[in-house]
Amino acid sequence: MDEKILVTRSSIPPYEEYIEAIKPLWETYWLTNMGKYYRELETELKTYLDVPQISLMVNGHMALELAIQAMDFPEGAEVITTPFTFISTTHAIVRNRLKPVFCDVKRSDGTIDETKIEGLITENTVAILPVHVYGNVCNIKEIQKIADEYHLKVIYDAAHAFGLKYKDKGIGSYGDASIFSFHATKVFNTIEGGAVTFSEPALYDKLYDLKNFGIHGEELVVSVGANAKMNEFAAVMGLCNLKHIDTAIEERRLRYERYQELLKDVPGIYFFADKQGVKKNYGYFPILVGEDCARTRDELYDRLKERKIYARKYFYPLTSDQICFENKYKNIDLRNARQLSKEVLVLPLYEGLEMEQIERICDLVS
Ligand SMILES: *Cc1c(COP(=O)(O)O)cnc(C)c1O
C-alpha cells in the first residue's frame, strides 16, 4: 500500500529476450552508425506506423530540431505553434534561430485552435508546428488548408501519438513531417530515441546527413550536420518492445476505460473530447478539474502526492511562460491554454498498473 505510484512506468521486454537479442553485438562489434538493428527497426517502424518514409534519431527532441532544420527556413522566420506542450517543442524552434508565435488551443482537446492560425500569419511566417497533445489529433484538414493557401510547411509534434491512425492512415503521414519520441516514458520506447516521418523521399538523405555530421564517404563532408544517430542497443530495445506493443496498448486501454468509468460521474471532473476516426494509443489519462469540483487541481495533486501517488501537471506552466523566455510572451492572449494548464492533471497510466490502484486513485479524486 505504501508503494510509490508514478505517472508512468517504462515498458521493457522480458530480460532474457533483450539479452538474447543483443548477443550478436559481441560478435560484430558494431554498436552504432546505422547498423543492422537500426536498419531493421527503421523498416519495421515504417510498416507499424504506416508512414511513407522514416528516419530514426537519437531522441525525439533532435528529431524535431533536425526536421525543422531540414526545411531550410531563413533565420528569424516565424513558426506558429502551441504553448500547451512539453518544452521541447518550443526549444526546437528557438534553437533553430526561428521565432515561435504562440497560438491559443481549443478547450475541447488542447490542440492548436485552427481558427486562430490565420490571424497570426505575417510575411515572415514559414511553418505551423502543432502538437497532437496526449494523442488528441489536431484538425489536420483545416491546418493543411491554411498551409496550402499561405505556402507554409506543417511539422507535427507527434511525440504522444505513437501508433495512432487517423482516417485509416498512420498519423505520421500527414503534413510535411511528423516527429515521434521513443523516450523511456512514452508508449513505445527505445530507452532514448525518436524518429521523423515524412513523404518527400529527398528528405531521407537530408536527415541522414543532418544526423551524421554531413559526412559523405571517408573524405567528404557536404553539410554542417549534428550527431543524432540511434545506437544498436537502443534499436534492439525498440525491436523487442515492438513485439509487445499491441498487448501493451491493449493493457493501457483496459485501464484507461476503467478510469473513465469510475470518474465519468464525478462532479467537476471532465475529460478531453474524443475525435471520430482515431485509433488511439491510450498513452495518457488527463483529467480536467473544473471550477465546480470540490477541490482545485493543485489540491487534488497534493492529496494524491500525500499518498505517494505522483500525478503530473502536464502541461503547466505553458512553455511560453517559462523564465528562459524572459516574459517575452506573457501578454499574448492564450486564455484557453492558460485555463487548461490550471485545470489539467495527468493520472498514472501504464501497463502494469493494478486495477485496484486505479480504484484507489479514483476514490481520492472523487
Ligand atoms: C517527449 C516529448 C518530446 C521530446 O522527446 P524526447 O525523446 O524526450 O527528446 C517532444 N515533444 C513532446 C510533446 C514530448 O512529449
Side-chain angles (χ1 to χ4, degrees), residues 30 68 200 212 258 301:
W30 193 286
I68 296 170
E200 171 58 48
N212 190 33
R258 184 71 182 135
Y301 169 86

Side-chain angles (χ1 to χ4, degrees), residues 91-360:
H91 278 0
I93 297 170
V94 176
R95 290 174 55 81
N96 268 288
R97 297 173 178 271
L98 301 167
K99 190 176 160 220
V101 174
F102 293 104
C103 181
D104 204 2
V105 299
K106 288 171 289 186
R107 287 291 307 252
S108 58
D109 64 4
T111 65
I112 198 163
D113 185 343
E114 64 280 358
T115 67
K116 294 184 181 152
I117 293 175
E118 249 181 307
L120 296 171
I121 295 174
T122 72
E123 57 189 9
N124 296 321
T125 309
V126 288
I128 309 171
L129 204 170
V131 180
H132 301 302
V133 65
Y134 318 113
N136 295 347
V137 174
C138 299
N139 190 334
I140 290 173
K141 194 173 154 201
E142 278 306 309
I143 291 169
Q144 197 57 53
K145 223 168 99 184
I146 298 165
D148 289 344
E149 190 176 337
Y150 292 89
H151 307 290
L152 308 176
K153 299 283 186 192
V154 183
I155 303 170
Y156 285 104
D157 183 336
H160 298 175
F162 184 87
L164 257 73
K165 292 262 175 82
Y166 179 56
K167 294 188 172 165
D168 291 325
K169 268 171 70 176
I171 193 76
S173 56
Y174 294 97
D176 294 280
S178 298
I179 72 95
F180 292 86
S181 165
F182 310 147
H183 184 255
T185 57
K186 301 297 206 293
V187 166
F188 166 79
N189 85 78
T190 60
I191 311 172
E192 292 262 11
V196 186
T197 63
F198 47 95
S199 307
E200 171 58 48
L203 205 48
Y204 186 87
D205 291 337
K206 203 154 182 188
L207 288 167
Y208 193 99
D209 283 349
L210 285 174
K211 73 178 155 199
N212 190 33
F213 309 101
I215 292 174
H216 272 226
E218 282 183 42
E219 298 180 359
L220 185 64
V221 175
V222 297
S223 65
V224 187
N227 178 4
K229 307 184 296 292
M230 179 184 283
N231 73 63
E232 289 291 88
F233 288 82
V236 171
M237 185 61 124
L239 288 165
C240 290
N241 275 332
L242 199 56
K243 290 200 176 78
H244 303 280
I245 190 70
D246 290 333
T247 322
I249 291 173
E250 175 61 12
E251 291 292 322
R252 282 175 175 277
R253 185 183 68 82
L254 296 172
R255 287 157 181 79
Y256 183 103
E257 287 178 356
R258 184 71 182 135
Y259 265 128
Q260 274 192 323
E261 194 179 296
L262 292 171
L263 294 177
K264 70 178 192 305
D265 297 323
V266 177
I269 300 293
Y270 302 94
F271 309 136
F272 283 112
D274 258 338
K275 198 187 187 85
Q276 289 287 307
V278 180
K279 179 178 165 263
K280 306 202 286 188
N281 67 10
Y282 306 95
Y284 301 88
F285 194 78
I287 58 168
L288 298 168
V289 185
E291 273 156 19
D292 51 334
C293 183
R295 296 181 184 82
T296 65
R297 187 274 309 272
D298 288 353
E299 283 166 0
L300 264 183
Y301 169 86
D302 291 338
R303 183 177 158 90
L304 291 167
K305 197 169 173 180
E306 279 161 22
R307 272 91 171 170
K308 295 191 180 169
I309 298 160
Y310 298 89
R312 294 296 300 268
K313 300 175 199 176
Y314 294 144
F315 291 97
Y316 171 86
L318 299 180
T319 65
S320 52
D321 289 345
Q322 289 290 359
I323 56 163
C324 56
F325 301 123
E326 301 164 342
N327 292 332
K328 248 189 262 180
Y329 310 113
K330 275 277 187 201
N331 298 322
I332 304 173
D333 180 7
L334 297 168
R335 68 188 74 181
N336 290 340
R338 287 226 158 74
Q339 189 64 28
L340 284 180
S341 82
K342 278 186 215 152
E343 291 180 353
V344 73
L345 191 63
V346 175
L347 300 179
L349 178 63
Y350 49 88
E351 224 182 311
L353 187 65
E354 306 283 342
M355 288 298 181
E356 173 274 322
Q357 293 175 309
I358 292 176
E359 284 152 24
R360 200 152 57 84

